[in-house]
Amino acid sequence: MSMSHLYGKDDDDDVEMEKFEITDWDLQNEFNPNRQRHWQTKEEATYGVWAEHDSDDERPSFGGKRSRDYSAPVNFISAGLRKAAAEEVIEEDSDEDEKPIKQEEFPKEFVPKKLKTGGNFKPSQKGFIGGTKSFMDFGSWERHTKGIGQKLLQKMGYVPGRGLGKNAQGIINPIEAKQRKGKGALGAYGSERTSQSLQDFPVVDSEEEAEEEYQKELSQWRKDPNGGKKKPKYAYKTVEELKAKGRIGKQLTTPQKELSQVKVIDMTGREQRVYYSYSQISHKHNIPDDNPQQPLGKDSKPQAFALPELEHNLQLLIDITEQEIIQNDRQLQYERDMVVNLTHEIQKMSEVLSHEETAISNLSKVLELVEECERRMQPNCDNPLTLDECAKIFETLQDKYYEEYRMSDRVDLAVAIVFPLMKDYFKNWDPLKDCMYGTEIIAKWKRLLENDQLLSHSGQDLATDAFHRLMWEMWMPYVRNIITQWQPRNCGPMVDFLDSWVHVIPVWILDNILDQLIFPKLQKEVENWNPLTDTVPIHSWIHPWLPLMQSRLEPLYSPIRNKLANALQKWHPSDSSAKLILQPWKEVFTPGSWEAFMVKNIVPKLGMCLNELVINPHQQHMDAFYWVIDWEGMVSVSSLVGLLEKHFFPKWLQVLCSWLSNSPNYEEITKWYLGWKSMFSDQVLAHPSIKDKFNEALDIMNRAVSSNVGGYMQPGARENIAYLTHTERRKDFQYEAMQERREAENMAQRGIGMAASSVPMNFKDLIQTKAEEHNIVFMPVIGKRHEGKQLYTFGRIVIYIDRGVVFVQGEKTWVPTSLQSLIDMAK
C-alpha cells in the first residue's frame, strides 16, 4: 500500500518527510476494523528492510531517506498539479479491485457491500452486516481501540443522535440488511426493503409500473417467436382528418398569408433550389438521391426490396390524392355556402319584387289622378277643376300615397296644375280692401306643398319648394303692384293686410316686402315731412309699423329728431303742442338719445321760463311754474331737480327770508310753505336735494322764531313753527320707512338666494353684501337719524349713507370714508 498520503517531498533536495497530520486514509482505516492487513512476504522475512518491493502500494518504513535505483529507466510525469491524497486512494482502490480475490479467504457474512459513508472502502475489506439498534450503541466497538474515531467526529461537530453532514441530512442508523428467503436472483421474492428504509425513504413504488418495466426488460432477452421479423406498422389517415387538415391550412391569418408568398432559397441539399412559399418547403417530397450506392459494411445486410423511385412515386400519388380530397372538400363547402347565399338573395329579391309591385300599383293610381286633373283643366272641359277640388286631390295623394308624393317632383306638378288655378283665383283681388281674402286657401296649400326639410332653415329655394315658388310667382306680383300705389301716411290698411298674412307667407318673402317695398316708401315720406306745416303728426303713420318692422325703423329716427330739433328752436314752453308731438317718441327712442334730445332742446327753454317766474306771496302768477312742472314726465328727475335748484329755490328762499324779517304772520308763512310744497310730486320731493331745500326753509323759520325774543311775537307762532317742523320731518321719516319696507318686500319676493347672488342695486345693498361676506352685523338703528338720514350700525361703528358716500361718526363730526376702510375699522 502506498504511503504517499503520509509523506511529502521537498522539490529542492528531494527529501522525503513524514507528515503527522490526520488524513482521509487515517479516518478510513480507523473506521474499518476489518481492513486487510499486510502479510509479510518470504523475502521481507529474510532481508527485512532491505528487501526489494515490486509494488508502490506497500507502506514504507519510517527509517530515513529511501535509496534510489539509478539503474531503472527514466519515468516522465506530466507537468500538472499533484493529485490529492483522496484521489490517489481512489486510484489505488480501483487498482486493487482489478486483482482477483479468492472467495474462500472471507466468510460468507463478510461479503463486502458498498456503503455510502465518509470514506471509500475497498472490496477486499471486511464490512459488518448490521449496525446497532440505536444511536446509543453507535461506536461501541471502539472500546477495543483507542477511540480516535469518536473524538474526531465530535471535534468536527458531530452530535450523537443526529445525522452526519453540514445540515444533519445523513441517516442516523446504519443501513440494515435483509436476508433473502431462497436462492433466487435479486428481486425474485418481491421487495427487499427493510422497515428502516421504508421509514427513512417512504417511497411507494407502483406495482403495475414495476411489473410492466420488468416484462419489458424480460422481453428483450427472449427470442421473437416469428423468427425475428417484426411486422411493419402502418399509419392510416381518414378522409375527415384530411378535411380537417385542409380547413386548418385554409384559415391563415394576414401575416401567414404574407409569409406564404415569400421567396425562399433552399441550400440544404446538393443543389440550390428556389421555393416561392414556406409551404412548399414543408410539402417537398423526398426525391431519391442520385448518388451511387455506398458499399455495404461488414455487419450490414443487403436490402431485399429497395426501390426508392417506386416509393417516391407512390408517395407522390398519395400526396396528390390527399390534395384532391382537400380541394374537393373546399369546393363542396364553397358550393354549400353559395347555396345559402343564393337562398338569402332569393328571399331579398322576392321582398323587393313585392315592394316594387306595390309601388307600381300606387304609381299607376297616382298617374290616373294626375291625368284626371289634366283632363279637367282643358279649356273645353264640361267639369272644370276648381282650386278646392284640386286641394282635395293633393290631400288624397298626401294621405294614401305619401311615399310616392314625397318622392315625386311636386314643384313641376304644382306648376302645371295649381298655378293656373291660383292665378285665376286672385285675378280680381285688392289686398287693401279685402286683406283676409285667400288666407285659408293659401294656408291649406302651405301644408300640402311646403317642403318639410326647408322649414328648419327658413331658406329660399324655389327649385325644391313648390309653395315658396307659388307665393313668389303668383301671390307676390299682386302685393308688389298694390304697394307701389300705396301712400305711406295711409298705413292702416297696409299694416292690417301684412298682419293677416304674416303667419301664412314665408319669412323671407315678408322680409323682402318690408325691406324692399315698405321701408323705402317710409324713408322717402320722412324726408318730405315738415313738423311745422304738416297737420298729421308723424308718429301716427310711423308707430303702427313698430310691431312688424321693429329695429328696421332705426335709420328713420335720426332724421326725425333732427327735424323736431329744428322745429323747437323758436318754441316757448307755453305752447303745449310740442309735448303732444314728443311724448309718443319717449318709448321709441333709446333712453340715452331721448335724454340727450331733451337736455339739448327742452331743458334750456324751461330754465328760461323759470327765470321769468316772479315769486310774490301777495299776488302770485303760477303759469310759468305750471309750464315747467308739466314736463316732469318727459324730462328726467335729475334734470328737473337741477332746474329747480338753479332757477327756482334761490329766489324762493330769498323771498322767504325777506318776508320773515318784516314781522310776518306766521300762519300765512306756514300756508305759503305748504302750498309751494304741494306743487311738487312725491318723486321730486323724495329727491335729497329737494328735501334739503325745504329743510333749509324750515331751519330759516325756526331761527326767525327763536331769534325774535325781545320784540313782538305772534301768539303761538313758535309752537306752530315747531309743530310744522316736527310734522314735516315725521312725513319724511315715514316716507323713507315705507320705501325701505317696499324694498324689503321685493327682496323677499325675489328670494334670499337670488338676492345674494344678484348684483347690488344701490350703494346700501353693496354695503350689506360686503357685510355678509365678512360676517359683520349691518342693521338700522331704530328711531335714530342725522339730518334726516337713517343711522346704521356696521359692526361697532355707527354710520349713515348720503348720496353714495359712507359717513362714520368721529369724535366731533361725521367723517366720510371708503368701503374698504370701513370694513377694516369694523374688524
Side-chain angles (χ1 to χ4, degrees):
M1 179 179 295
S2 174
M3 303 298 290
S4 59
H5 62 283
L6 296 176
Y7 295 92
K9 290 185 178 182
D10 192 353
D11 295 338
D12 297 337
D13 52 0
D14 295 334
V15 179
E16 295 184 355
M17 299 173 61
E18 184 175 1
K19 295 182 180 180
F20 291 93
E21 60 185 10
I22 299 174
T23 62
D24 295 338
W25 187 90
D26 295 329
L27 295 175
Q28 180 178 344
N29 188 51
E30 188 66 25
F31 277 92
N32 191 4
N34 297 322
R35 59 186 175 275
Q36 183 179 4
R37 304 296 182 180
H38 176 68
W39 303 99
Q40 190 176 21
T41 62
K42 183 177 180 180
E43 187 176 358
E44 291 176 347
T46 304
Y47 297 104
V49 295
W50 290 277
E52 294 181 359
H53 303 279
D54 296 336
S55 176
D56 295 335
D57 295 338
E58 298 176 359
R59 184 164 183 165
S61 62
F62 291 90
K65 185 176 180 180
R66 178 187 295 180
S67 61
R68 298 187 179 183
D69 185 6
Y70 296 99
S71 62
V74 179
N75 293 327
F76 294 92
I77 62 174
S78 61
L81 298 174
R82 189 170 68 87
K83 296 181 179 180
E87 295 179 0
E88 293 179 359
V89 173
I90 294 173
E91 292 180 359
E92 293 169 1
D93 294 342
S94 63
D95 295 339
E96 292 184 4
D97 290 343
E98 295 177 359
K99 296 181 180 180
I101 301 174
K102 297 182 179 180
Q103 195 171 358
E104 291 81 13
E105 296 179 1
F106 303 99
K108 184 177 181 181
E109 62 272 11
F110 283 77
V111 175
K113 293 181 177 289
K114 189 175 181 181
L115 300 178
K116 192 173 183 180
T117 59
N120 295 325
F121 293 93
K122 300 178 182 179
S124 61
Q125 294 175 341
K126 297 181 180 179
F128 52 90
I129 298 175
T132 57
K133 297 299 181 181
S134 65
F135 66 87
M136 296 300 295
D137 297 334
F138 180 73
S140 60
W141 41 270
E142 283 195 342
R143 61 178 175 270
H144 304 292
T145 64
K146 295 181 180 181
I148 186 64
Q150 186 74 11
K151 295 178 181 179
L152 293 174
L153 286 175
Q154 291 178 358
K155 288 181 178 180
M156 289 184 287
Y158 170 71
V159 179
R162 297 181 64 183
L164 297 176
K166 180 179 180 181
N167 299 321
Q169 68 270 21
I171 61 176
I172 300 175
N173 298 325
I175 299 175
E176 294 182 356
K178 183 178 181 180
Q179 187 177 2
R180 194 176 296 119
K181 297 179 181 180
K183 297 181 180 181
L186 181 64
Y189 301 98
S191 176
E192 297 183 3
R193 297 184 62 180
T194 62
S195 59
Q196 179 186 352
S197 65
L198 292 174
Q199 183 178 357
D200 294 337
F201 307 99
V203 179
V204 180
D205 297 333
S206 176
E207 295 182 358
E208 296 180 358
E209 293 179 0
E211 182 65 23
E212 184 179 356
E213 186 177 358
Y214 172 73
Q215 293 295 336
K216 184 177 180 181
E217 293 177 355
L218 187 62
S219 63
Q220 295 179 0
W221 297 94
R222 294 177 180 175
K223 188 176 182 180
D224 192 357
N226 295 331
K229 295 182 179 179
K230 296 183 179 180
K231 291 183 179 180
K233 294 182 179 180
Y234 300 99
Y236 299 96
K237 290 184 180 179
T238 62
V239 177
E240 298 299 330
E241 291 178 354
L242 290 177
K243 292 179 180 180
K245 180 181 178 182
R247 295 190 188 100
I248 294 173
K250 186 178 180 181
Q251 297 175 356
L252 295 176
T253 60
T254 303
Q256 290 177 343
K257 291 179 180 178
E258 294 177 358
L259 292 176
S260 63
Q261 299 179 359
V262 176
K263 182 178 180 181
V264 181
I265 299 176
D266 184 11
M267 302 182 68
T268 57
R270 186 165 57 100
E271 296 179 355
Q272 176 179 329
R273 296 176 182 176
V274 179
Y275 300 100
Y276 294 96
S277 64
Y278 286 108
S279 60
Q280 293 184 5
I281 298 178
S282 60
H283 293 93
K284 69 177 182 178
H285 306 291
N286 297 324
I287 301 175
D289 197 359
D290 297 335
N291 296 334
Q293 294 184 356
Q294 300 293 335
L296 298 174
K298 183 178 180 181
D299 298 332
S300 62
K301 295 180 180 181
Q303 295 183 3
F305 185 78
L307 295 175
E309 293 82 359
L310 181 58
E311 292 178 359
H312 169 70
N313 294 336
L314 290 175
Q315 185 64 35
L316 187 60
L317 291 174
I318 292 172
D319 293 341
I320 293 173
T321 305
E322 291 179 356
Q323 293 298 324
E324 290 180 354
I325 293 173
I326 292 173
Q327 292 295 334
N328 291 335
D329 177 65
R330 292 179 179 176
Q331 185 67 24
L332 179 60
Q333 186 65 33
Y334 171 77
E335 297 295 339
R336 290 175 179 173
D337 295 340
M338 184 62 68
V339 170
V340 174
N341 293 334
L342 292 176
T343 304
H344 289 296
E345 289 293 333
I346 290 173
Q347 294 178 356
K348 291 181 180 180
M349 295 306 295
S350 61
E351 294 176 359
V352 172
L353 181 60
S354 61
H355 179 72
E356 294 294 337
E357 290 177 352
T358 305
I360 291 172
S361 176
N362 294 336
L363 286 175
S364 61
K365 294 179 180 179
V366 170
L367 185 60
E368 291 177 0
L369 292 175
V370 174
E371 291 177 351
E372 179 67 19
C373 293
E374 186 179 2
R375 184 185 61 81
R376 295 179 61 183
M377 289 182 64
Q378 297 297 328
N380 299 326
C381 182
D382 298 335
N383 187 16
L385 185 65
T386 61
L387 196 58
D388 292 336
E389 292 176 351
C390 184
K392 291 180 181 180
I393 292 174
F394 271 79
E395 287 179 357
T396 303
L397 294 175
Q398 193 175 26
D399 295 338
K400 294 183 179 180
Y401 311 105
Y402 178 73
E403 292 295 331
E404 291 76 8
Y405 177 75
R406 185 175 59 85
M407 292 186 298
S408 62
D409 193 355
R410 287 176 285 179
V411 178
D412 295 339
L413 186 63
V415 169
I417 298 176
V418 182
F419 280 28
L421 298 176
M422 193 68 68
K423 185 177 181 180
D424 185 65
Y425 183 79
F426 285 105
K427 63 181 179 179
N428 298 323
W429 175 49
D430 188 0
L432 298 180
K433 294 181 180 179
D434 189 3
C435 61
M436 298 297 295
Y437 179 80
T439 53
E440 296 180 359
I441 294 295
I442 295 298
K444 184 185 294 184
W445 281 106
K446 181 179 181 180
R447 295 192 301 269
L448 295 175
L449 299 178
E450 191 170 23
N451 194 345
D452 298 336
Q453 297 178 355
L454 295 178
L455 291 178
S456 58
H457 303 288
S458 300
Q460 174 184 358
D461 192 358
L462 301 178
T464 57
D465 194 285
F467 177 73
H468 290 194
R469 184 173 177 180
L470 172 67
M471 297 300 294
W472 181 256
E473 295 183 1
M474 304 305 302
W475 181 83
M476 192 63 183
Y478 295 99
V479 177
R480 192 180 295 111
N481 185 27
I482 200 66
I483 290 176
T484 55
Q485 302 175 7
W486 165 69
Q487 294 297 326
R489 300 198 179 192
N490 187 17
C491 62
M494 184 61 67
V495 172
D496 296 337
F497 163 68
L498 292 179
D499 284 337
S500 60
W501 284 87
V502 69
H503 300 292
V504 180
I505 61 178
V507 177
W508 65 272
I509 292 181
L510 179 62
D511 294 340
N512 181 269
I513 293 173
L514 295 176
D515 295 336
Q516 304 296 330
L517 301 177
I518 300 297
F519 182 78
K521 299 278 288 186
L522 293 177
Q523 188 176 17
K524 185 177 181 181
E525 191 67 23
V526 168
E527 292 176 357
N528 297 329
W529 171 68
N530 187 358
L532 298 177
T533 58
D534 287 341
T535 58
V536 179
I538 189 173
H539 65 269
S540 62
W541 49 274
I542 292 293
H543 289 183
W545 291 103
L546 287 173
L548 286 173
M549 303 188 70
Q550 296 179 357
S551 60
R552 290 186 177 91
L553 295 176
E554 285 287 342
L556 300 179
Y557 297 156
S558 180
I560 290 175
R561 286 194 294 266
N562 293 332
K563 288 179 178 293
L564 291 174
N566 294 330
L568 291 172
Q569 288 180 358
K570 297 180 180 181
W571 169 77
H572 191 267
S574 60
D575 185 5
S576 61
S577 62
K579 183 181 177 183
L580 297 177
I581 295 174
L582 295 177
Q583 189 173 6
W585 293 98
K586 185 174 185 273
E587 301 299 330
V588 176
F589 295 159
T590 60
S593 60
W594 173 258
E595 182 66 19
F597 179 81
M598 298 303 292
V599 169
K600 181 179 179 181
N601 300 287
I602 301 298
V603 173
K605 302 288 185 180
L606 298 179
M608 293 172 58
C609 186
L610 286 177
N611 284 331
E612 296 174 357
L613 176 65
V614 178
I615 299 176
N616 186 2
H618 303 288
Q619 188 178 2
Q620 183 68 52
H621 296 282
M622 301 293 296
D623 293 338
F625 184 80
Y626 290 147
W627 296 338
V628 174
I629 293 299
D630 193 30
W631 285 87
E632 180 181 350
M634 302 288 289
V635 180
S636 64
V637 177
S638 59
S639 299
L640 184 60
V641 169
L643 285 174
L644 294 174
E645 285 182 335
K646 185 177 180 181
H647 302 286
F648 172 75
F649 278 106
K651 295 188 294 184
W652 185 77
L653 292 175
Q654 184 179 3
V655 171
L656 177 63
C657 291
S658 61
W659 193 4
L660 291 172
S661 62
N662 296 321
S663 300
N665 186 354
Y666 286 95
E667 292 182 0
E668 294 180 358
I669 291 177
T670 303
K671 293 179 180 179
W672 181 78
Y673 171 85
L674 295 177
W676 276 109
K677 191 173 183 180
S678 63
M679 300 298 292
F680 298 97
S681 64
D682 294 338
Q683 188 177 2
V684 175
L685 291 174
H687 197 275
S689 299
I690 305 299
K691 285 183 179 180
D692 292 341
K693 295 299 180 181
F694 281 105
N695 289 331
E696 185 179 354
L698 291 175
D699 294 338
I700 292 172
M701 287 188 288
N702 286 323
R703 285 196 301 269
V705 174
S706 60
S707 63
N708 194 3
V709 178
Y712 173 77
M713 177 62 63
Q714 183 179 354
R718 186 177 301 173
E719 290 78 7
N720 291 335
I721 296 301
Y723 177 75
L724 176 64
T725 304
H726 177 71
T727 303
E728 293 299 319
R729 298 283 171 82
R730 186 178 61 184
K731 287 180 179 179
D732 293 341
F733 174 75
Q734 290 177 354
Y735 181 79
E736 291 182 359
M738 183 176 62
Q739 291 294 112
E740 292 178 357
R741 192 181 303 110
R742 289 177 181 176
E743 292 179 1
E745 291 177 356
N746 295 332
M747 292 281 290
Q749 291 177 0
R750 289 196 301 266
I752 298 175
M754 185 181 297
S757 61
S758 62
V759 179
M761 300 300 295
N762 50 36
F763 192 64
K764 177 186 172 184
D765 295 339
L766 178 60
I767 295 176
Q768 184 175 358
T769 303
K770 293 295 182 180
E772 292 176 356
E773 292 177 357
H774 295 84
N775 295 325
I776 299 174
V777 178
F778 177 69
M779 58 183 297
V781 181
I782 300 176
K784 297 293 182 179
R785 289 180 172 272
H786 175 73
E787 295 182 356
K789 306 296 189 298
Q790 176 67 47
L791 297 181
Y792 300 92
T793 57
F794 192 83
R796 297 180 181 179
I797 305 172
V798 180
I799 64 172
Y800 77 90
I801 305 171
D802 186 14
R803 301 181 185 181
V805 180
V806 180
F807 290 86
V808 181
Q809 187 178 16
E811 296 179 358
K812 296 182 180 180
T813 59
W814 293 84
V815 181
T817 184
S818 64
L819 184 57
Q820 186 61 41
S821 300
L822 179 65
I823 295 171
D824 296 339
M825 288 187 290
K827 289 184 177 181

